[in-house]
Amino acid sequence: MSRPVDALIDFLKTEEARGHSHVYLDEGAREGLRDLFKRSRNPAPAHIESIPAPASLPPVSTEVTISGATKIEKLDSIRAQAATWAPAISLGTLRETMVFATGDPDAAIMLIGEAPGYNEEKEQEPFVGPAGQKLNDILKAMGVHREQVYISNLVKYRPSLPKQTTNNRKPSPEEMAACLPLVMAEISVVKPKLILALGGTAAEGLLGLEGSVGSMREKWHDLAGIPARVTYHPSYLLQSGGSNQVKRSLWEDMLATMEKLGMPISEKQRGYFLPKP
Ligand code: URA
């Protein structure tokens, strides 16, 4: 049975691995540690298996330290912290492999999904499964290649399930909140001209929006001073049997994106998925 002190030891090891030599202890944490110390000197009777958790453990730091001179170095510094991100790992609800981002650090467009799935975990790259293929097709229709945009996920680890094989689940609000500082740090480094939130879950976690994707799209939101648009998750296109209505709605979001960036739009592109006259 794991003891409260094991969680503390794990936390301190993670902090040490991140190069931190000090942790802040509030009065509650200090009291908890005094209690643990007293109990270690006067062990509880054998029939008591565990001791109560201290009033509060040291607070888990949610601060991302961005270091380096170039964007690549800065993103690498965020990637290194994401790999041992205590706020996410300490939840105990995410799998172990960290999946960071892919694409151009100087991209004008940043796309953010919810969390890696089976394929993404295997390849350690966001959007490489069927949803990723769909995303590549959408970008191609815009005249953009995957390598020219920056693609990331809000949650950096695949959400876990009991007896999990290829099945995935959406990240919880707690998992999204735990990883939010990482993606905000990425945004501050990449400084894209605009952000596309892919799907309602990502929009909820990033922008604090509630409701259907239908009610969130067709307008520009603000995310750290950068225009952000919500659109359907590419996997919704796969699930919805590729209905032309959903395809057209998503395509209108892409046209709005292209317009915002001043990209050329052909008549053919304007007409995609419109009902035939
Ligand atoms: N769905 C997401 O939100 N992200 C991925 O990387 C893959 C599928």
Side-chain angles (χ1 to χ4, degrees), residues 12-258:
L12 292 173
K13 280 186 179 157
T14 307
E15 286 302 286
E16 190 177 42
R18 293 172 62 199
H20 294 170
S21 55
H22 293 75
V23 287
Y24 167 73
L25 299 178
D26 63 16
E27 188 40 45
R30 281 198 286 265
E31 189 51 44
L33 285 175
R34 275 183 222 115
D35 197 31
L36 275 178
F37 180 65
K38 265 189 249 151
R39 282 163 191 267
S40 72
R41 301 190 61 169
N42 302 303
H47 66 275
I48 299 177
E49 283 188 3
S50 63
I51 53 176
S56 77
L57 284 173
V60 173
S61 168
T62 55
E63 198 184 316
V64 182
T65 310
I66 302 172
S67 57
T70 65
K71 281 192 179 186
I72 292 178
E73 287 167 358
K74 288 177 183 175
L75 289 171
D76 278 348
S77 77
I78 303 170
R79 182 195 299 265
Q81 289 164 83
T84 57
W85 189 240
I89 295 167
S90 64
L91 293 174
T93 55
L94 295 163
R95 289 167 62 96
E96 278 181 11
T97 307
M98 196 278 291
V99 181
F100 198 61
T102 186
D104 182 1
D106 285 315
I109 305 175
M110 179 163 177
L111 300 113
I112 309 177
E114 55 193 46
Y118 169 77
N119 294 291
E120 288 72 27
E121 181 185 62
K122 210 162 76 173
E123 305 280 327
Q124 292 182 38
E125 182 173 329
F127 284 98
V128 289
Q133 285 304 318
K134 193 46 92 186
L135 183 60
N136 293 348
D137 292 345
I138 296 164
L139 292 170
K140 196 167 157 206
M142 295 166 74
V144 177
H145 199 266
R146 181 181 169 90
E147 273 80 47
Q148 294 173 288
V149 296
Y150 184 89
I151 305 175
S152 196
N153 275 312
L154 172 46
V155 174
K156 306 299 187 207
Y157 300 82
R158 182 177 167 211
S160 70
L161 284 165
K163 298 199 184 123
Q164 194 165 19
T165 53
T166 56
N167 44 341
N168 300 315
R169 72 163 167 85
K170 284 180 184 301
S172 68
E174 292 74 24
E175 290 162 346
M176 292 195 286
C179 289
L180 187 62
L182 295 166
V183 84
M184 294 311 290
E186 289 172 81
I187 292 169
S188 76
V189 171
V190 176
K191 294 192 179 61
K193 291 215 164 59
L194 58 86
I195 293 166
L196 290 171
L198 302 175
T201 308
E204 206 182 297
L206 285 168
L207 295 157
L209 300 174
E210 281 177 11
S212 65
V213 172
S215 68
M216 299 172 186
R217 48 180 295 278
E218 292 185 286
K219 51 178 103 69
W220 289 103
H221 304 269
D222 181 285
L223 185 53
I226 295 171
R229 202 155 182 108
V230 181
T231 193
Y232 292 104
H233 194 284
S235 66
Y236 184 64
L237 254 63
L238 300 169
Q239 287 160 19
S240 69
S243 99
N244 262 15
Q245 204 189 336
V246 173
K247 280 184 188 162
R248 178 65 200 177
S249 300
L250 187 143
W251 185 244
E252 279 168 7
D253 295 328
M254 296 306 129
L255 289 174
T257 297
M258 292 167 79

